[in-house]
Coordinates of all heavy atoms in Angstrom, one line a residue:
A7 N -12.6 44.1 33.5 CA -12.8 44.4 34.9 C -11.8 43.5 35.7 O -11.9 42.2 35.8 CB -14.2 44.0 35.3
K10 N -8.9 41.9 41.0 CA -7.7 41.7 41.9 C -8.1 40.7 43.0 O -8.9 39.8 42.7 CB -7.2 43.0 42.5 CG -6.9 44.0 41.3 CD -6.2 45.2 41.7 CE -6.0 46.1 40.5 NZ -5.2 47.3 40.7
S11 N -7.7 40.8 44.3 CA -8.0 39.9 45.3 C -9.3 40.2 46.1 O -9.4 39.8 47.3 CB -6.9 39.8 46.3 OG -5.7 39.3 45.7
N12 N -10.2 41.0 45.4 CA -11.4 41.3 46.1 C -12.5 40.3 45.8 O -12.5 39.5 44.9 CB -11.9 42.7 45.6 CG -10.9 43.8 45.9 OD1 -10.7 44.1 47.1 ND2 -10.2 44.3 44.9
L34 N -22.9 44.4 22.2 CA -21.7 43.5 22.3 C -20.9 43.5 21.0 O -19.8 42.9 21.0 CB -22.1 42.1 22.8 CG -22.7 42.1 24.2 CD1 -23.1 40.7 24.6 CD2 -21.7 42.6 25.3
A42 N -12.3 39.6 35.1 CA -11.2 38.9 35.6 C -11.3 38.7 37.1 O -10.7 39.6 37.9 CB -9.9 39.6 35.2
S49 N -15.2 29.9 38.7 CA -16.4 28.9 38.6 C -17.7 29.7 38.8 O -18.6 29.5 38.1 CB -16.3 27.8 39.6 OG -15.3 27.0 39.4
L58 N -24.5 36.4 29.8 CA -24.5 37.8 29.3 C -23.8 38.0 28.0 O -23.9 39.0 27.4 CB -23.7 38.7 30.4 CG -24.3 39.0 31.7 CD1 -23.3 39.4 32.7 CD2 -25.4 40.0 31.5
D66 N -3.9 35.6 36.2 CA -2.5 35.1 36.2 C -2.6 33.7 35.6 O -3.6 33.1 35.4 CB -2.0 35.1 37.7 CG -0.5 34.8 37.7 OD1 0.2 35.1 36.7 OD2 0.0 34.4 38.8
S68 N 0.0 29.8 35.8 CA 1.3 29.2 36.1 C 2.2 29.2 34.9 O 1.8 29.1 33.7 CB 1.1 27.7 36.5 OG 2.4 27.1 36.7
F70 N 4.2 26.9 34.4 CA 4.4 25.5 34.1 C 3.1 24.9 33.6 O 2.1 25.3 33.9 CB 4.8 24.8 35.4 CG 6.1 25.3 36.0 CD1 6.1 26.1 37.1 CD2 7.3 25.0 35.4 CE1 7.2 26.6 37.6 CE2 8.5 25.4 36.0 CZ 8.5 26.2 37.1
R99 N 2.0 41.9 40.3 CA 2.7 40.6 40.3 C 4.2 40.9 40.2 O 4.9 40.1 41.0 CB 2.3 39.8 39.1 CG 0.8 39.5 38.9 CD 0.3 38.5 40.0 NE 1.2 37.4 40.3 CZ 1.0 36.6 41.4 NH1 0.0 36.8 42.2 NH2 1.9 35.7 41.6
E105 N 7.9 38.8 40.1 CA 7.9 38.1 38.8 C 8.8 38.8 37.8 O 8.9 40.1 37.8 CB 6.5 38.1 38.2 CG 5.6 37.2 38.8 CD 4.3 37.0 38.2 OE1 4.0 37.5 37.1 OE2 3.4 36.3 38.8
Q116 N 2.5 29.5 27.9 CA 1.5 28.6 28.4 C 0.1 29.0 28.0 O -0.7 28.2 27.6 CB 1.5 28.5 30.0 CG 2.6 27.6 30.5 CD 2.4 26.2 30.0 OE1 1.3 25.6 30.1 NE2 3.4 25.6 29.5
F122 N -5.5 30.5 25.2 CA -6.0 31.7 25.9 C -5.2 32.9 25.2 O -4.0 32.8 24.9 CB -5.6 31.7 27.4 CG -6.2 30.5 28.2 CD1 -5.4 29.8 29.0 CD2 -7.5 30.2 28.0 CE1 -5.9 28.8 29.7 CE2 -8.0 29.2 28.7 CZ -7.2 28.4 29.6
I125 N -3.0 38.9 28.0 CA -3.0 40.4 28.1 C -1.8 40.7 28.9 O -1.8 40.5 30.1 CB -4.3 40.9 28.8 CG1 -5.5 40.4 28.0 CG2 -4.2 42.4 28.8 CD1 -6.9 40.7 28.6
V126 N -0.7 41.2 28.3 CA 0.6 41.4 29.0 C 0.6 42.8 29.4 O 0.5 43.8 28.6 CB 1.8 41.2 27.9 CG1 3.1 41.3 28.7 CG2 1.6 39.8 27.3
S132 N 9.2 48.2 32.2 CA 9.1 46.8 31.8 C 8.9 46.5 30.3 O 9.1 45.4 29.9 CB 8.1 46.0 32.6 OG 6.8 46.6 32.5
L133 N 8.5 47.5 29.6 CA 8.2 47.3 28.1 C 9.3 46.7 27.4 O 9.1 45.6 26.7 CB 7.8 48.7 27.4 CG 7.7 48.6 25.9 CD1 6.6 47.6 25.5 CD2 7.5 49.9 25.3
P142 N 9.3 37.1 18.6 CA 8.3 38.0 17.7 C 7.0 37.2 17.5 O 5.9 37.7 17.5 CB 9.1 38.3 16.5 CG 10.5 38.2 16.9 CD 10.6 37.1 18.0
V150 N -1.6 44.0 24.5 CA -0.7 44.7 25.5 C -1.5 45.7 26.3 O -2.2 46.5 25.7 CB 0.5 45.3 24.8 CG1 1.4 46.1 25.7 CG2 1.4 44.2 24.1
A155 N 2.6 52.4 36.7 CA 2.4 52.1 38.2 C 1.9 53.3 38.9 O 1.0 53.1 39.8 CB 3.8 51.7 38.8
L207 N -8.5 48.8 31.1 CA -8.4 47.8 32.2 C -8.8 48.6 33.5 O -8.2 49.6 33.8 CB -7.0 47.3 32.3 CG -6.7 45.9 32.5 CD1 -5.2 45.6 32.2 CD2 -7.0 45.5 33.9

Side-chain angles (χ1 to χ4, degrees):
K10 308 191 179 182
S11 294
N12 296 291
L34 296 174
S49 296
L58 287 162
D66 190 22
S68 175
F70 298 105
R99 300 291 319 164
E105 287 188 8
Q116 277 302 310
F122 301 135
I125 301 172
V126 184
S132 56
L133 171 64
V150 174
L207 222 164

